[in-house]
Amino acid sequence: MSKKSKNSLINASKNEVWKHDLDSSNFETNDINELTSLLLDSYKTYNGRQFLNDDDLNCLLPSDKIVLERSTLSYLLMRHRWKGNFCSPVKEKLNTSGTTILDIGCGSGLWAIDMGLNHPSSSIIAIDIDPSKFPSKDQCPPNVCFLTCNAIYGIPFPQNTFDFVNISMMWSAFTEAQWILIIKDLVRVLKHNGWIEFTEPDPTLRNGVKNLAWLIECLSNACRDITGVNIHIYEEIPKYIRAMDELEDFNCMHIDYPMGEWYGYFGKYALENLKRTLQSVVFLPKYMKMSNEEFNNLLDDYFKEANEFKISFTVYKYFAKKVSKNVPII
């Protein structure tokens, strides 16, 4: 790669939005092999799974096809359980021309695509750190755009840009300090009278058997000790919202999330989703001082037991409105 091209990549700001279109790039033809190596260096392999290669990330989960399939299943289950994609009182606004929506940590982009199809008058921007998950252009409605961005470096939009901001199931992605900074930045880009909505689970199992409860506790401890991530972030988000003078009309809703064949197909796939999530936390077996085979056998035994006890957990939605522009912030 030419020295000029290479330096431009090294010195690029970490919150820069990248557009991956080689046809419109300025790279020389003989740079392609080095460009390919650079893209491959974006990932690392640990315990047989692919992760983003960024020391500043605290995300617990890999970035590979297995996680993409699991996140797709998780989205479909969540949409079914909530009977929709949001609870904030924004439906009328979303059907008004010029309305703007921001989705943080969009993953495969199903939420954004659904919103784009259901609300064609709105414009949706979905951001994620890993562009490999993004759908192709022919899979997206014309009012949906996907951008590569790491939210911990800042949301790359001016203040008062969006009418609705959505952030969902990001319990594994940020430390508490990062959550505070990200929420402040999301409120900054939210318009006055706009709404912000969070969706996060309580990982504490209801009717949970002792063995599976112990496994979730191990998960919580491992995440805290190794990455600094608090998987019980659902407890902290209301505190962060209430502490912000810019937000008002705080609301909280929750649903039960049953797991196991005792609850039909939903329960069957919900339990499978939990199992895949635990298998994706690849450092957990080592933390528990066991081999991968021992860990998977443990999961099989515990999940048979869990189905018998009809376990479930709770998922919360929190939403609040940014104060009117005419209301002074003290």
Side-chain angles (χ1 to χ4, degrees):
M1 180 179 293
S2 66
K3 185 174 181 181
K4 181 178 180 181
S5 298
K6 192 170 184 179
N7 287 340
S8 67
L9 288 173
I10 294 173
N11 296 325
S13 172
K14 289 190 174 182
N15 66 356
E16 181 179 352
V17 178
W18 284 50
K19 294 183 178 180
H20 303 276
D21 185 356
L22 290 179
D23 292 336
S24 61
S25 71
N26 293 319
F27 292 112
E28 302 165 8
T29 304
N30 58 5
D31 289 340
I32 295 300
N33 288 336
E34 292 185 55
L35 173 60
T36 302
S37 297
L38 180 66
L39 295 175
L40 291 175
D41 287 343
S42 298
Y43 300 94
K44 58 185 176 182
T45 301
Y46 178 76
N47 208 9
R49 301 291 297 274
Q50 177 179 282
F51 288 79
L52 284 171
N53 189 18
D54 189 333
D55 292 336
D56 292 335
L57 293 180
N58 300 291
C59 189
L60 308 173
L61 303 179
S63 185
D64 56 20
K65 184 178 179 180
I66 298 174
V67 164
L68 183 61
E69 292 173 349
R70 187 209 61 78
S71 65
T72 298
L73 174 61
S74 178
Y75 166 73
L76 295 173
L77 291 168
M78 203 66 67
R79 183 184 65 181
H80 173 80
R81 198 65 182 151
W82 283 103
K83 295 181 173 59
N85 281 320
F86 58 88
C87 290
S88 299
V90 294
K91 187 174 182 179
E92 183 176 347
K93 180 67 175 176
L94 298 185
N95 294 323
T96 302
S97 179
T99 297
T100 50
I101 303 170
L102 177 65
D103 184 29
I104 305 297
C106 64
S108 61
L110 289 182
W111 186 91
I113 291 174
D114 265 2
M115 292 292 285
L117 292 173
N118 293 331
H119 306 285
S121 297
S122 294
S123 297
I124 299 96
I125 295 178
I127 69 174
D128 197 278
I129 191 173
D130 185 5
S132 68
K133 301 176 182 178
F134 294 165
S136 59
K137 290 182 179 179
D138 61 356
Q139 295 175 311
C140 299
N143 57 332
V144 177
C145 175
F146 291 90
L147 299 177
T148 307
C149 174
N150 187 343
I152 66 174
Y153 301 136
I155 309 300
F157 296 97
Q159 63 182 6
N160 306 321
T161 299
F162 297 97
D163 297 283
F164 181 45
V165 173
N166 176 69
I167 179 167
S168 177
M169 304 302 286
M170 297 294 285
W171 57 271
S172 67
F174 310 125
T175 65
E176 290 187 43
Q178 289 170 343
W179 270 104
I180 293 172
L181 292 175
I182 289 170
I183 291 174
K184 288 182 178 179
D185 211 27
L186 292 177
V187 173
R188 177 186 65 82
V189 301
L190 184 65
K191 291 181 182 179
H192 295 286
N193 293 317
W195 288 82
I196 183 170
E197 180 167 318
F198 304 82
T199 307
E200 297 296 337
D202 173 3
T204 305
L205 297 174
R206 300 177 61 183
N207 303 325
V209 290
K210 186 176 181 180
N211 287 334
L212 193 53
W214 169 75
L215 182 59
I216 298 298
E217 182 180 358
C218 289
L219 170 67
S220 178
N221 293 338
C223 295
R224 181 198 63 223
D225 295 343
I226 295 174
T227 66
V229 168
N230 175 13
I231 69 171
H232 296 267
I233 196 64
Y234 80 96
E235 296 177 320
E236 306 303 322
I237 290 175
K239 301 175 187 177
Y240 303 153
I241 294 174
R242 291 190 176 102
M244 299 197 68
D245 293 333
E246 295 95 332
L247 295 178
E248 62 182 5
D249 293 348
F250 172 76
N251 292 265
C252 172
M253 300 179 67
H254 62 85
I255 55 167
D256 288 332
Y257 193 90
M259 293 180 289
E261 292 184 2
W262 63 274
Y263 200 78
Y265 282 108
F266 179 93
K268 174 184 177 181
Y269 289 116
L271 190 60
E272 176 65 22
N273 184 48
L274 176 59
K275 182 178 181 180
R276 293 184 189 182
T277 300
L278 291 169
Q279 289 173 326
S280 293
V281 185
V282 295
F283 54 77
L284 188 54
K286 185 176 181 179
Y287 185 87
M288 297 173 67
K289 296 180 171 58
M290 59 179 63
S291 68
N292 289 341
E293 182 179 359
E294 290 172 329
F295 180 76
N296 286 322
N297 289 336
L298 190 74
L299 285 184
D300 290 338
D301 291 340
Y302 286 2
F303 277 62
K304 288 177 184 177
E305 198 176 33
N307 190 55
E308 296 173 5
F309 281 78
K310 300 182 178 180
I311 66 168
S312 66
F313 63 88
T314 305
V315 179
Y316 288 87
K317 278 188 179 288
Y318 307 113
F319 47 102
K321 183 177 69 172
K322 189 170 181 178
V323 298
S324 171
K325 187 176 182 179
N326 298 322
V327 177
I329 299 173
I330 301 175

